Amino acid sequence: MEDGLVIAGRTYGSRLLVGTGKYRDFDETRRAIEASGAEIVTVAIRRVNIGQNPGEPSLLEVLPPSRYTILPNTAGCYTAEEAVRTLRLARELLDGHSLVKLEVLGDAETLFPNMPETLAAARTLVAEGFQVMVYCSDDPILARQLEELGCVAVMPLASLIGSGMGILNPWNLQIILDRARVPVLVDAGIGTASDAAVAMELGCDGVLMNTAIAKARDPVRMGRAMKLAVQAGREAWLAGRMAKKPYSAAPSSPTEGLIGKTA
Amino acid sequence: MVLRINGDERRFAPPLTVEALVGLLGFEGRRIAIERNGEIVPRSRYSQVELSDGDRLEVVVAVGGG
């Protein structure tokens, strides 16, 4: 596959990863994710509703693991212990599948990650054979520590989860990108297509988002927009942008041969 | 015996395997995972694991999330 995204030894054609929450219904979930072209989709793990109608459709029927790489996450966990238990359950749920998204929150209002707990959970999960993609703050030292622990991808936030504020600190992100030897994906904060394109133009290996698609007026159309933005940003990064020349404007048209001039 | 399932206490007549419980709850054939007293119960062991009074069970599924 040309220019694929390689995570834990497996190659993916799409560099856009999407969440599955906040859609109106499963049909909208399915259509928006199809339009996004995403191959890796993240899901939450929750207690089953006892007494629930057993015939009710389930998310994994709408997004079958035979078609998508299901990335179970620990959204809503506030301790390393909760996160590790959740992912052990997820691995059992998904027949031994070990690629997971670790996220340990530190604060219910901002959903900022609790990095000491995240590091502790990552250490345990790697030791237990999980392939850990980790949501983290955009601190380059912590990102490096997560990589050294054996995480297969680091996923710094662009801005707060669900905020749609875009990339608030491209400079930190750049430092992480310059040094990382594992894929770096922006996770959280993308609001619209240009944010995704900027992330890719900075050199990110991929982008993970949920709300930007699910809460667009037309989620299916936004799914497609994000697919194109990630592709465009990646192409621009590979092409290598022109140098910025703030004080030396240079016309693109010939300066000779203008009409009305005396020779 | 009393089992605490997803935080709620429920009464069942022993003996009861995990497999039988899954049937009673109507989750047969559904993609679920079960933790018993903090330990995963592998699906392959559902028919062998006998539940005991006071067991704490977590029964989970995949749901939409980011």
Side-chain angles (χ1 to χ4, degrees):
Chain A
M1 192 183 300
E2 197 191 335
D3 189 38
L5 168 63
V6 181
I7 296 176
R10 190 166 160 194
T11 306
Y12 301 88
S14 171
R15 291 176 178 272
L16 173 58
L17 286 68
V18 297
T20 54
K22 300 183 180 170
Y23 287 99
R24 264 186 289 271
D25 51 40
F26 279 160
D27 185 54
E28 188 181 76
T29 309
R30 182 185 56 74
R31 289 186 300 122
I33 291 175
E34 258 174 26
S36 77
E39 294 164 41
I40 301 177
V41 299
T42 185
V43 304
I45 303 298
R46 289 292 180 274
R47 284 173 163 173
V48 68
N49 193 1
I50 307 284
Q52 179 187 340
N53 173 12
E56 214 170 279
S58 75
L59 181 68
L60 295 183
E61 287 163 22
V62 179
L63 302 170
S66 55
R67 170 157 180 203
Y68 293 99
T69 295
I70 305 294
L71 185 68
N73 65 53
T74 60
C77 291
Y78 283 81
T79 65
E81 193 212 337
E82 285 166 16
V84 169
R85 280 175 67 194
T86 298
L87 291 177
R88 286 178 186 146
L89 279 161
R91 178 155 67 177
E92 173 62 22
L93 186 76
L94 295 166
D95 308 317
H97 167 91
S98 61
L99 186 69
V100 296
K101 171 181 158 176
L102 172 64
E103 147 180 351
V104 186
L105 302 177
D107 179 277
E109 201 173 347
T110 63
L111 304 179
F112 253 117
N114 179 327
M115 292 309 297
E117 290 291 309
T118 301
L119 286 158
R123 193 172 286 119
T124 302
L125 291 165
V126 169
E128 292 186 14
F130 286 92
Q131 295 170 321
V132 182
M133 302 178 70
V134 56
Y135 167 67
C136 55
S137 59
D138 62 1
D139 180 313
I141 306 306
L142 292 171
R144 188 179 66 203
Q145 289 175 346
L146 288 165
E147 178 181 326
E148 286 168 356
L149 281 176
C151 292
V152 299
V154 294
M155 305 200 291
L157 50 79
S159 48
L160 300 184
I161 293 174
S163 70
M165 293 293 287
I167 299 170
L168 298 187
N169 195 339
W171 311 107
N172 270 29
L173 207 48
Q174 195 66 68
I175 296 170
I176 294 172
L177 285 162
D178 288 347
R179 299 170 166 203
R181 285 159 299 177
V182 294
V184 177
L185 293 84
V186 154
D187 179 4
I190 298 297
T192 188
S194 51
D195 297 333
V198 168
M200 296 308 294
E201 287 173 8
L202 285 170
C204 287
D205 296 282
V207 178
L208 196 163
M209 66 180 76
N210 189 156
T211 314
I213 298 176
K215 288 298 167 195
R217 194 178 62 235
D218 181 343
V220 178
R221 194 158 205 152
M222 189 58 90
R224 189 162 57 242
M226 290 302 184
K227 171 186 176 173
L228 297 171
V230 167
Q231 286 174 349
R234 176 69 181 177
E235 286 294 309
W237 185 73
L238 290 174
R241 61 152 299 149
M242 64 164 281
K244 289 184 182 177
K245 295 179 284 186
Y247 294 108
S248 68
S252 297
S253 306
T255 50
E256 303 293 312
L258 288 153
I259 63 165
K261 294 228 170 154
T262 51
Chain B
M1 64 177 171
V2 175
L3 304 178
R4 183 173 279 275
I5 306 176
N6 290 352
D8 290 330
E9 288 191 349
R10 287 163 187 270
R11 293 189 165 279
F12 295 89
L16 186 69
T17 61
V18 173
E19 185 177 51
L21 177 69
V22 168
L24 286 175
L25 296 176
F27 295 134
E28 220 157 41
R30 286 204 43 195
R31 202 182 262 274
I32 57 169
I34 299 178
E35 183 196 77
R36 178 195 182 208
N37 301 329
E39 302 286 332
I40 299 292
V41 185
R43 202 168 305 146
S44 59
R45 306 231 328 120
Y46 282 3
S47 60
Q48 294 138 54
V49 175
E50 290 271 353
L51 294 164
S52 310
D53 188 48
D55 276 355
R56 288 169 292 109
L57 300 170
E58 295 287 346
V59 186
V60 301
V61 289
V63 301

